[in-house]
Amino acid sequence: MSSTTTPYLRLLTTTQFAFNTGFYAVLPYLATHLGTGLGMTGWLIGLVLGLRTFSQQGLFVIGGALTDRYGPRPVVLTGCALRIAGFGWLAFADSTATVIGAVLLTGFAAALFSPAVESETAREAVRHEQRTGTPRAHVLARFSAAGQAGAFLGPLLGSLLLLLDAGFRAACLAGVLVFVAVLAGHARHMPHRAPVTRTAAHRGALRHVFTGRPFLLLCLAYSSYLVAYNQLYLSLPAEVQRTTGSQAALGWFFALSSLLVVCAQLPLTRWSAGRLAPRTALVAGLVTVAAGFAAVPLTPAGPGGLLPPAALVVLLTLGQMLLVPAARGLVPDLVDDRHLGLATGALSSVSGLAVLGGSAATGALLDAPAPVRWAALAAIPLTGAALALTLPRGVDGKRGAESEVGVGLKASPIRSGGRTP
């Protein structure tokens, strides 16, 4: 069984690394720049950051639909060009209106780029699985690990520029250079694909995708993971503050999470892909995430009170490493191949909306007694695991999906890897 990937898959994986490196060289320092550099008030900073998230995550479905219609190449190249323009604009933006315009542009650029690259990676992973027998989860795990490596190195690049007194503008321009390289790589190596002629099936893509019960169940299960993962930015800081009296150690926990993915993602996926069906890996990952929340009140405070938040970060990250490749690998089996881009974008958009709605509810739990708070948070991924158990059981997920939905989609030759649970 060969695990050697194709040059095209290596391009897509390298792209994910570079894209996240350039992005995270800027994003962690944006709030400070808006506050100290431009003098924005707290509520306005929150509004700007919220608009950036919405223009990206909420609009993934648009990027996915455009990918299905025109192919990944023009969508990826447009996304790179818009990210270059957005970061260049942000480097020199000095008013509220110009900053908002710049962050909206950078967010929409990712809404084009990411679903195109993710759906193309999923499609190529399935083809690679069919040619070599290597489970698609291996390819998707490399893709995920590359993104985490970029998320780890990007802030270090931004910090280095700030330590050299180059400033936020230099970080933005460094990001521009990274995205210029990504644009050049895809312009040279990404294959051309003729635009798809619109048929009745394509015009009804939204109906086909959003009325497919198995795919909607996957969206809900994946949403429970993202709502839980968002607690790294909400409940984890509160717990670190409570146990240590400050948030000085918070950065180390984020570094721990990224390093775990970079170092352990591929070995863990190799182990799970040979032993667990995708649905089983998804359920196991969600249960592991739930265990992370349950462990917080059960873990002894330990040195400096850092053991409970460390247990949360380790278990949540392990759960993420199990479930994300499995969830991404299930998408091609639950939708028609012609709608893969739309479905990939929809998975992120639905999950983003769930996070937006769930943030207020989980934020209200910060004032609840600790046992109640952590039990309620654990119930979120456990609910997702229960939903994931209702996904199609057979190895041919697409055939199971069609029989449940009854929409008469044309089956593609894609088949799911792994064993039946």
Side-chain angles (χ1 to χ4, degrees), residues 4-71:
T4 303
T5 57
T6 64
Y8 187 34
L9 278 170
R10 289 195 291 272
L11 169 68
L12 294 170
T13 302
T14 304
T15 290
Q16 181 72 355
F17 167 75
F19 199 80
N20 275 7
T21 299
F23 177 69
Y24 285 101
V26 175
L27 182 66
Y29 312 102
L30 178 57
T32 300
H33 169 69
L34 297 178
T36 61
L38 301 182
M40 289 187 179
T41 58
W43 72 267
L44 189 54
I45 294 172
L47 174 64
V48 170
L49 295 179
L51 287 172
R52 191 212 64 78
T53 300
F54 173 76
S55 64
Q56 176 177 326
Q57 201 79 12
L59 300 181
F60 262 43
V61 67
I62 295 177
L66 291 173
T67 300
D68 289 338
R69 176 70 175 87
Y70 298 104

Side-chain angles (χ1 to χ4, degrees), residues 132-148:
T132 68
T134 302
R136 70 189 70 172
H138 287 188
V139 173
L140 297 172
R142 289 192 185 96
F143 186 80
S144 178
Q148 284 294 329

